[in-house]
Amino acid sequence: GDRQQLQQVDPRLRWRGPPGTHDIATGIQVLQQVRSGSADPVLMPRFDKSLHGGMGDRIAPEPLSNIDILLFEGWFVGMQPLDAAQFDTAPWPISSEDDRAFALDCNYRLQDYLPLWDLLDALVVLHPGDYRLSKQWRQEAEQKMKQQGRSGMSDAEIVVFVEYFWKALHPDLFLTPLLKTADLVIEVQPDHMPGQVKKPGAAIAD
């Protein structure tokens, strides 16, 4: 599958998710087709998180027509590359030189996503008050999948999995700037309910 091919390119890409593991060209093609208003069906990419023991992989696309609103969702949508000097004192769990090198490579690969971000009409950020909640939420999601009879990761695997993504694009470094520039920031409380709603982008426009 795609995941195995990615690991051949870079063994550090254990999971699909960090910059460099996406089919950017397809993303651009899909967004351009939707924006064009074409009557032809759009082949919407799909991903099944339950495959490969919870590692996930792509499945056959789904043809969709008459799309009025497209929510382009992802954990680092809109994030911008940073100056490399910011990684000199990177936050935990970026603790080793290998971690720092991985973080720098992910930061560099963000450049490739900028044409994709340019096709978005607005950026909405769902912001947990504490990014570390993502571990708890991932555990809840995996438990639900298992209850549905699908495979998923153990709690120990989830810890490694989530920290891997913090090493790739640490929220303190990459999410914090978005909170000042996004069109809409919606706080997400620990129980998944929405909290405060802010419009930082509107203030910039003014």
Side-chain angles (χ1 to χ4, degrees):
D2 287 345
R3 204 166 42 84
Q4 289 77 15
Q5 293 175 13
L6 287 168
Q7 284 190 290
Q8 290 177 2
V9 175
D10 186 340
R12 298 173 302 177
L13 300 177
R14 298 173 58 187
W15 291 288
R16 175 176 290 278
T21 65
H22 301 95
D23 186 347
I24 299 173
T26 295
I28 291 174
Q29 180 183 358
V30 167
L31 290 181
Q32 287 178 335
Q33 187 178 353
V34 171
R35 290 177 65 94
S36 73
S38 170
D40 296 331
V42 178
L43 292 177
M44 197 62 64
R46 295 191 299 165
F47 190 83
D48 187 342
K49 291 183 178 180
S50 70
L51 295 178
H52 306 299
M55 303 292 186
D57 214 340
R58 279 203 282 194
I59 58 176
E62 179 181 1
L64 296 176
S65 302
N66 303 317
I67 300 172
D68 295 317
I69 297 175
L70 175 63
L71 294 178
F72 187 84
E73 181 270 339
W75 73 282
F76 69 85
V77 170
M79 289 184 177
Q80 303 289 317
L82 304 175
D83 188 287
Q86 294 202 42
F87 296 88
D88 292 343
T89 55
W92 183 89
I94 304 172
S95 55
S96 69
E97 284 306 311
D98 286 345
D99 292 341
R100 204 177 315 278
F102 179 55
L104 283 166
D105 287 345
C106 288
N107 180 60
Y108 178 77
R109 288 170 176 153
L110 268 182
Q111 295 278 358
D112 297 333
Y113 291 77
L114 300 184
L116 197 54
W117 305 163
D118 287 341
L119 292 170
L120 304 177
D121 292 316
L123 179 64
V124 179
V125 175
L126 302 180
H127 178 231
D130 185 341
Y131 69 84
R132 290 169 293 188
L133 283 168
S134 55
K135 276 186 185 177
Q136 173 189 325
W137 290 344
R138 184 71 194 206
Q139 288 171 344
E140 293 171 358
E142 295 290 326
Q143 288 166 3
K144 285 181 181 178
M145 281 202 299
K146 291 176 182 177
Q147 289 168 1
Q148 295 168 357
R150 302 160 75 190
S151 61
M153 290 185 282
S154 68
D155 286 353
E157 289 171 329
I158 290 169
V159 169
V160 175
F161 177 81
V162 172
E163 290 181 3
Y164 169 81
F165 286 90
W166 292 347
K167 290 178 182 180
L169 296 173
H170 199 286
D172 278 347
L173 296 174
F174 290 92
L175 179 59
T176 302
L178 281 190
L179 303 180
K180 301 175 183 177
T181 59
D183 296 282
L184 199 67
V185 176
I186 303 173
E187 178 190 1
V188 183
Q189 299 175 342
D191 61 358
H192 302 281
M193 295 300 291
Q196 287 187 321
V197 178
K198 300 177 182 177
K199 293 184 177 181
I204 294 173
D206 293 342

